[in-house]
Amino acid sequence: MELKLTPQEEQEILETFIAESSDKHEQLDTFLTALEAEPSSKSILHDLNRVLHTLKGNAMSMGFSAIGELCHLMEEIFSYYKKGVLELNKDVFDALFKSSDKLGELIRGINEDKRITHKGIKTRLEVLIRDAKGEELVVEHTEPTDIQITPEVIAQDCEYVPTDEELVSQENEESQEPQEQIVQPLPEEPKKEKASFFVDLVRRLSRYIKGLFGLKKDHNIEEERGHSFLSKKEERPSLTVDNEASFYALFEENSDENAPPEQSVEEAISDPENVLIEEEIVVENDIESTDLLDKLYDKVEVSDTVQVPIRKLDALMNQMGQLIIERDRLASKEDSRAHKAELASLHRITSDLQYSVMNVRLVQVGTLFNKFHRVVRDVAEVEKKMVTLQIKGSDVEIDRTVLKTISDSLIHLVRNAIGHGLETADVRKELNKPVTGVVTLNAYSDKDHVIIEVTDDGAGVDPEAIREKLISKGIVSSQQAKSMSDDELIMHIFHTGFSSANQVSEISGRGVGMDVVKKSVETIGGQVNVQTKVGFGTTIRLKLPASLVVKGVLMFTMQSQEYAVPLAYTASVISLTKKDIRKAGLGLMATFLNKPISIVFLSDLLRMDDFSEIYDHGNLHRSFDEKSNSEKFEVVVVSNSGREFGVVVDKLLQQKEVIEKPLPYPLEGNVLLSGTTILGTGNICMILDAVAITEMLYSTKFKVYESQKAS
Amino acid sequence: MEAKMQEMLEEKERVVEDTGEKIQLIVFNLAAEEYAVPIEQVKEIVPTPKISPVPQTPEYVVGIANIRGQVLSVINLEKKFGFHQETHVLTSDKRNSSFVLVIEHEDTSIGVVVNQVPTTFAVPVSKIDSSDQMMQHSSMDASVIKGVANTQGRLIILIDILRMLELGEIKTNRDS
């Protein structure tokens, strides 16, 4: 039974490991935050230990000793806390949170080929433990000295199995340094001995078990790693030794001359301190080895869920898209009437399949929201503000790619809400507000969209402050600023280079700005809106597509070429006559729902070599001037983040669900189009980039104002 | 298509009686000259499909086309190289007389429109003059021209479209 893994299998195992570990790390953060709020909770402590334990087991079996070490030290802190010799004060929590961060870094670092050192935080934890230990010794006076030595002796005497060098060096900065090598016993550091003792123990146990299966004794590490992983690491405790004799045989198996006295082995194992709080490794004397064998079979139970790398889902989604195009092509063939019934069932099946594929990609927003307990805690700490986080709608489902795309934006919005939105406790007291501010993350479904809101009950955004800022930064002239409505002013927080904070703080003044938030939301076809009331707080609302598999578009033709605009950006379709439209500065204006909106003839945009030509006077008037007075125009009202404008098209077609493909090389940079799709007829339909056109029209708006002034 | 081409090539090879290393070319006309690309770079040759012009792109990008379910850009090398003679307008009636060479390089594919049926031609390496010995073409990067095959009374210019892709010679961004 040779267990050899292909590089691909290894990669998949590694991917699974990373995915599981990230998951566990996320839980760790959540529980840590919870424990900080409620340090006396036994159940949280239990959960924490469980998570740490699993994480440690997984990491150890994969050879990522640094992760294992940190987990182990954290476990130890909690064990001392349980014993009552260590107090979980702010300092300790700080260290624990830092450790958790480092764990996250280490896990991410596996794939990024980054060298991450964990020595600093490790030492900090060790100091905490040493202090606690000193106290413990004073209290108990019971620890016999020989037990301190025992594991060390064992570890030194037992065969040393090198960890996978490649993996170790990937995650550890100085893998040659003794601190980084858990398997090398260090007499000065008791914890280390225990760890190495434990690792050796587990190795020998696994070898023993392989022996039962008739595996080769001189296994290579790869084999071991694969084996122990495949059999699910959570079951490391499953390597329970049920038979005393066979257990001792383990120790004898590979130890050469200086085998430790049996007595000390026994002590080493029976003393919980030395078996590294691995309570699960229990020595049960009264069970026969046949039971051990039986139990082994129980341990290879196959999980009911499958972890699928996202790239496989992406591939599935692409194939799904091709299938739908092919289906539409068949349906639009001339002889399709003869096969109407067959096509109908094909249509139904593919649609069902499409929804299934979409469904598989959905994840609950809670998976992201839950990470924010930690984010809020950290930001509140830095900003010296008191904050509670409320989470609503955790069970709303959204495409995983959408969630990933907005995760950074959401962090920024929450930082902003705490940093800029919420007032300090003193100010809040003066204002008769509750001292603790509330930041709410809320998600809910709205037809084909998911709305995610970040709300704070802070000071709100003052349009007057923005007005002043715009003028002082020279973004608009004071005259233009005066003519702007509050909503228009507030939309300027998304303007590149605009920051309304008076001073740059450690948290808010760094990383992505509001303009980046807006852009990243728009890349996936979403929109951003702001609602704010001075003194009562701000809500930033992200309107996101629930699924990225298909995109609803409104199709139309221009000069017999099919074009489309995403329904996500389509407010309505209206019909205008020439006299409804007036020239205004560089552009055209009309009234829509009693509001003036810009009108642009798409033919004028298509005619241009690039967007800079819109600044030339008359370029946006050309089609308008060519039309006769009686002509009616079909106008698509495009709406993006509260900005609306009308696009005059030649002829409207229908709404359609399409699979958008990016523009082919070398046209990726085209600013007017966001992508293409192949229609059932085989024709290509080009999808307009509504966002880019909005930006363009609104950036010139100032020029429009200016030219109005000039005229 | 590829199999067919291979067949044609083998046939050709039997005809040309020249020993020594040969390279196989796809030869096509641009303006009045014969140009060629190595056969390995050509994924397929298809009759020109319907090409949709793309707004706000340089003149030499004819547009985009659906070639076997894949959307590709189609470029016109005559325009790219700046030959100012009358080029063939790819209206539907003329479409049938022109072809698109699909050039594939790693993840990137691009179509090159040519006016007549491209032919295959095997040329001994010894008959190719490398580009540095020849007169530099006015508007082409020297590295894009690999050499000139001078054989059987024909003068065939070897161009390296992959090199053009690598150099970013084919670009759209007028704004950059």
Side-chain angles (χ1 to χ4, degrees), chain A residues 611-676:
Chain A
F611 268 149
S612 65
E613 291 182 23
I614 62 167
Y615 298 113
D616 299 338
H617 199 89
N619 265 348
L620 290 173
H621 296 162
R622 276 161 76 181
S623 299
F624 178 73
D625 290 340
E626 288 163 12
K627 305 285 178 186
S628 67
N629 280 330
S630 58
E631 231 171 310
K632 275 202 165 190
F633 307 124
E634 293 188 312
V635 182
V636 179
V637 179
V638 174
S639 153
N640 172 24
S641 303
R643 296 160 160 183
E644 288 182 335
F645 61 93
V647 178
V648 183
V649 303
D650 284 1
K651 185 174 184 292
L652 282 167
L653 299 174
Q654 81 273 37
Q655 288 187 12
K656 196 171 167 25
E657 292 208 318
V658 299
I659 289 99
E660 183 173 351
K661 296 249 172 84
L663 281 164
Y665 174 88
L667 305 174
E668 307 95 324
N670 192 295
V671 274
L672 192 57
L673 306 175
S674 67
T676 63

Side-chain angles (χ1 to χ4, degrees), chain A residues 487-542:
Chain A
D487 284 349
E488 256 178 292
L489 285 165
I490 284 160
M491 282 311 282
H492 275 89
I493 59 174
F494 297 111
H495 197 283
T496 310
F498 182 88
S499 169
S500 83
N502 289 326
Q503 70 229 33
V504 173
S505 70
E506 187 179 337
I507 294 229
S508 318
R510 183 176 57 182
V512 295
M514 289 298 267
D515 54 324
V516 181
V517 170
K518 184 162 178 282
K519 282 200 184 94
S520 73
V521 168
E522 283 167 351
T523 55
I524 47 169
Q527 298 187 32
V528 189
N529 279 301
V530 188
Q531 271 182 352
T532 185
K533 199 169 176 193
V534 176
F536 290 93
T538 308
T539 296
I540 312 268
R541 181 173 294 118
L542 311 181

Side-chain angles (χ1 to χ4, degrees), chain A residues 145-208:
Chain A
T145 41
D146 61 331
I147 287 166
Q148 287 290 326
I149 299 155
T150 313
E152 179 192 328
V153 172
I154 295 166
Q156 279 174 341
D157 286 341
C158 294
E159 187 194 60
Y160 163 65
V161 183
T163 47
D164 190 326
E165 281 307 322
E166 190 196 0
L167 291 165
V168 169
S169 63
Q170 229 177 50
E171 71 178 302
N172 290 339
E173 188 163 54
E174 299 115 321
S175 55
Q176 64 272 50
E177 292 214 18
Q179 287 101 312
E180 306 282 339
Q181 289 210 350
I182 189 151
V183 285
Q184 221 159 62
L186 283 181
E188 309 80 42
E189 287 182 74
K191 263 118 276 149
K192 191 87 322 162
E193 302 151 18
K194 289 171 188 170
S196 63
F197 162 73
F198 173 66
V199 169
D200 268 0
L201 176 65
V202 171
R203 286 228 168 82
R204 256 170 277 120
L205 279 167
S206 74
R207 207 176 306 143
Y208 163 72

Side-chain angles (χ1 to χ4, degrees), chain B:
Chain B
M1 185 60 88
E2 264 166 302
K4 206 169 185 182
M5 234 177 310
Q6 197 62 37
E7 227 169 78
M8 287 161 75
L9 267 169
E10 278 162 13
E11 203 176 332
K12 204 95 197 175
E13 225 152 336
R14 265 176 261 127
V15 177
V16 181
E17 293 160 48
D18 198 321
T19 47
E21 207 193 329
K22 282 180 185 162
I23 61 169
Q24 297 164 346
L25 303 173
I26 299 283
V27 183
F28 51 94
N29 290 333
L30 291 182
E33 303 295 332
E34 280 192 304
Y35 285 80
V37 290
I39 195 165
E40 315 84 67
Q41 297 188 358
V42 181
K43 185 187 165 205
E44 58 184 337
I45 300 170
V46 294
T48 304
K50 181 180 176 186
I51 298 178
S52 304
V54 180
Q56 302 196 359
T57 48
E59 212 184 352
Y60 65 82
V61 178
V62 188
I64 52 180
N66 170 12
I67 297 175
R68 290 171 204 266
Q70 209 186 351
V71 179
L72 295 184
S73 301
V74 178
I75 58 167
N76 182 336
L77 285 179
E78 292 184 352
K79 287 198 171 146
K80 172 65 192 159
F81 293 153
F83 302 153
H84 291 297
Q85 74 162 83
E86 193 53 47
T87 43
H88 302 256
V89 185
L90 293 159
T91 49
S92 51
D93 51 314
K94 285 226 177 159
R95 240 198 278 154
N96 294 338
S97 63
S98 74
F99 293 83
V100 170
L101 301 182
V102 180
I103 311 283
E104 191 175 52
H105 177 56
E106 288 167 8
D107 294 336
T108 313
S109 297
I110 197 165
V112 176
V113 70
V114 294
N115 305 314
Q116 286 145 29
V117 191
T119 54
T120 55
F121 190 60
V123 66
V125 175
S126 59
K127 298 279 186 194
I128 298 176
D129 300 325
S130 65
S131 58
D132 46 317
Q133 289 158 9
M134 58 169 277
M135 197 171 60
Q136 291 301 314
H137 196 285
S138 54
S139 63
M140 267 182 267
D141 189 308
S143 63
V144 169
I145 297 176
K146 281 209 294 211
V148 173
N150 194 346
T151 179
Q152 298 172 359
R154 295 167 79 174
L155 205 76
I156 302 169
I157 303 168
L158 269 64
I159 56 172
D160 189 347
I161 295 175
L162 294 190
R163 183 87 183 124
M164 288 173 71
L165 301 185
E166 279 165 17
L167 287 173
E169 277 271 305
I170 303 168
K171 264 197 206 146
T172 50
N173 340 352
R174 283 155 182 264
D175 45 352
S176 65

Side-chain angles (χ1 to χ4, degrees), chain A residues 464-484:
Chain A
E464 289 313 313
I466 293 177
R467 201 190 304 268
E468 277 166 36
K469 193 97 181 180
L470 284 173
I471 296 167
S472 72
K473 284 207 169 190
I475 297 171
V476 297
S477 73
S478 57
Q479 202 171 348
Q480 288 160 14
K482 268 178 200 147
S483 65
M484 283 186 194

Side-chain angles (χ1 to χ4, degrees), chain A residues 398-648:
Chain A
I398 191 168
D399 189 286
R400 187 254 178 205
T401 309
V402 175
L403 206 59
K404 188 178 160 69
T405 313
I406 61 148
S407 63
D408 279 358
S409 301
L410 218 49
I411 289 174
H412 184 72
L413 293 177
V414 168
R415 280 171 162 188
N416 260 354
I418 300 171
H420 301 325
L422 294 180
E423 311 91 337
T424 57
D426 298 343
V427 176
R428 289 181 72 94
K429 211 180 256 173
E430 269 174 43
L431 292 169
N432 271 337
K433 281 181 166 184
V435 180
T436 306
V438 179
V439 171
T440 310
L441 286 174
N442 185 18
Y444 54 93
S445 293
D446 175 28
K447 287 181 207 154
D448 289 341
H449 290 90
V450 169
I451 315 288
I452 292 183
E453 292 175 342
V454 180
T455 306
D456 65 70
D457 65 347
V461 183
D462 183 4
E464 289 313 313
I466 293 177
R467 201 190 304 268
E468 277 166 36
K469 193 97 181 180
L470 284 173
I471 296 167
S472 72
K473 284 207 169 190
I475 297 171
V476 297
S477 73
S478 57
Q479 202 171 348
Q480 288 160 14
K482 268 178 200 147
S483 65
M484 283 186 194
S485 69
D486 286 359
D487 284 349
E488 256 178 292
L489 285 165
I490 284 160
M491 282 311 282
H492 275 89
I493 59 174
F494 297 111
H495 197 283
T496 310
F498 182 88
S499 169
S500 83
N502 289 326
Q503 70 229 33
V504 173
S505 70
E506 187 179 337
I507 294 229
S508 318
R510 183 176 57 182
V512 295
M514 289 298 267
D515 54 324
V516 181
V517 170
K518 184 162 178 282
K519 282 200 184 94
S520 73
V521 168
E522 283 167 351
T523 55
I524 47 169
Q527 298 187 32
V528 189
N529 279 301
V530 188
Q531 271 182 352
T532 185
K533 199 169 176 193
V534 176
F536 290 93
T538 308
T539 296
I540 312 268
R541 181 173 294 118
L542 311 181
K543 187 179 178 189
L544 305 163
S547 167
L548 291 178
V549 179
V550 289
K551 202 173 199 174
V553 296
L554 177 64
M555 283 176 54
F556 55 88
T557 54
M558 292 298 298
Q559 293 130 28
S560 76
Q561 165 67 45
E562 287 97 344
Y563 282 89
V565 58
L567 283 176
Y569 295 117
T570 311
S572 69
V573 174
I574 52 175
S575 179
L576 294 175
T577 57
K578 190 171 178 179
K579 65 173 167 44
D580 295 328
I581 302 173
R582 276 173 299 280
K583 290 184 186 177
L586 291 172
L588 302 165
M589 300 289 268
T591 309
F592 169 64
L593 299 175
N594 298 324
K595 245 171 56 186
I597 59 167
S598 296
I599 297 288
V600 59
F601 279 80
L602 189 56
S603 48
D604 285 334
L605 295 181
L606 298 183
R607 194 163 12 203
M608 290 173 191
D609 280 339
D610 72 82
F611 268 149
S612 65
E613 291 182 23
I614 62 167
Y615 298 113
D616 299 338
H617 199 89
N619 265 348
L620 290 173
H621 296 162
R622 276 161 76 181
S623 299
F624 178 73
D625 290 340
E626 288 163 12
K627 305 285 178 186
S628 67
N629 280 330
S630 58
E631 231 171 310
K632 275 202 165 190
F633 307 124
E634 293 188 312
V635 182
V636 179
V637 179
V638 174
S639 153
N640 172 24
S641 303
R643 296 160 160 183
E644 288 182 335
F645 61 93
V647 178
V648 183

